[in-house]
Amino acid sequence: MSIDDTAGTGADRPADSPFRDERTARDEAPQFVLPLVVRIEKAAPPTRTDALEAAARAVLVMLADERSTGEGEWAQVMRDWQDARIRKVVRRARGGEWRKASQLPGITISSPGAAAEAPEGAAFAPYAEVRVFPPVPLDGWPKELAKLQVSGTDLDDPGAPPAADLSAPVLWLSPGLAMSAGKAMAQAGHGAQLAWWELSETDRKAWQEAGFPLSVRTPDAARWRRLTSGGLPLVRDAGFTEIAPGSSTVVADHPALRR
């Protein structure tokens, strides 16, 4: 499953933060969810790493879009979503399902290899495509999205991804947790969102103008221990699906946030 409601990043966050384990006033507010749909064609699905990175960038692009801020057409529902728990749901689509979903208001994000063409008979797509939509009520999904499957987002990498570029942001996944690709995509999105919230306006603008470069990687256990104790934004899961409540899932390692 990839229905995801993130919980805490530590006691240093405000009492009403959506990223805390315990129940807060945010739980009494109307609950919304940010839908993400990943394109998974049967013949050539995206790699797992490409899908995770595209999902994280999709969240950032939605947060930064002019329609999501000020008096923009999505601004109110974005505020409603962020005033409650920060929920994200990843569903999958292919063929006609993907085309129908793409006609709904939203933003499609492709990973950097999007200009490439898949060789005939390729086992993997040369890039990932993820479409993010404005938040919807938990029980108010558009029918084109409601019928899409949540399960079946298990993706693989053909080999170990290259080393992360530490001059750019890195979202580090916990090496001790087994997560489906859909779950990990939602968690990567949470990590990207935490980084965005922590950055200054100047650093946000620079990241946006650069096209939101980032990588998603899994460190070894020793590095994970250093990362989780280094003061960087840390995602803790609420434990509704797949993993135990309070599990640390992602560290958002943006160069501007390193101490």
Side-chain angles (χ1 to χ4, degrees):
M1 298 287 286
S2 51
I3 299 175
D4 199 58
D5 177 351
T6 200
T9 57
D12 57 332
R13 296 212 165 270
D16 66 344
S17 171
F19 297 104
R20 290 180 68 92
D21 292 309
E22 64 270 22
R23 190 172 182 85
T24 73
R26 290 180 180 273
D27 294 287
E28 308 306 323
Q31 299 294 303
F32 290 79
V33 61
L34 186 78
L36 298 106
V37 175
V38 56
R39 183 179 183 182
I40 303 181
E41 298 292 345
K42 185 179 295 186
T47 69
R48 180 183 176 96
T49 295
D50 281 352
L52 267 57
E53 293 175 352
R57 278 193 294 271
V59 171
L60 291 166
V61 169
M62 175 59 76
L63 289 167
D65 193 280
E66 62 182 11
R67 291 167 289 184
S68 298
T69 60
E71 299 302 317
E73 61 185 288
W74 300 338
Q76 184 59 56
V77 73
M78 288 291 288
R79 286 192 289 269
D80 291 342
W81 171 59
Q82 293 179 88
D83 282 345
R85 289 285 182 174
I86 304 301
R87 298 174 183 258
K88 299 179 179 73
V89 172
V90 178
R91 296 178 183 262
R92 62 181 173 88
R94 64 171 181 258
E97 295 173 333
W98 173 258
R99 290 189 291 274
K100 289 179 182 179
S102 297
Q103 293 172 2
L104 296 178
I107 306 168
T108 296
I109 300 300
S110 300
S111 54
E117 292 292 334
E120 186 174 351
F124 293 94
Y127 58 90
E129 289 181 274
V130 173
R131 188 163 179 85
V132 60
F133 304 86
V136 298
L138 283 177
D139 58 355
W141 282 70
K143 65 179 186 301
E144 294 88 348
L145 301 182
K147 66 182 181 181
L148 298 179
Q149 294 296 310
V150 175
S151 60
T153 53
D154 292 325
L155 300 170
D156 297 313
D157 282 316
D165 177 5
L166 298 182
S167 68
V170 185
L171 303 173
W172 297 100
L173 297 176
S174 170
L177 295 174
M179 294 185 281
S180 68
K183 178 75 171 182
M185 288 170 69
Q187 294 293 317
H190 292 333
Q193 187 167 0
L194 274 185
W196 179 256
W197 283 353
E198 294 284 346
L199 290 172
S200 67
E201 287 298 326
T202 298
D203 289 325
R204 286 183 182 181
K205 184 176 180 181
W207 198 10
Q208 181 181 9
E209 290 179 347
F212 291 120
L214 59 84
S215 56
V216 179
R217 296 291 187 271
T218 302
D220 60 30
R223 185 172 204 161
W224 177 251
R225 286 193 294 272
R226 293 194 298 272
L227 287 163
T228 55
S229 61
L232 291 166
L234 174 64
V235 178
R236 296 184 189 276
D237 190 63
F240 289 104
T241 62
E242 297 194 22
I243 57 179
S247 298
S248 298
T249 59
V250 180
V251 170
D253 182 14
H254 191 291
L257 301 177
R258 294 172 189 157
R259 298 171 182 155

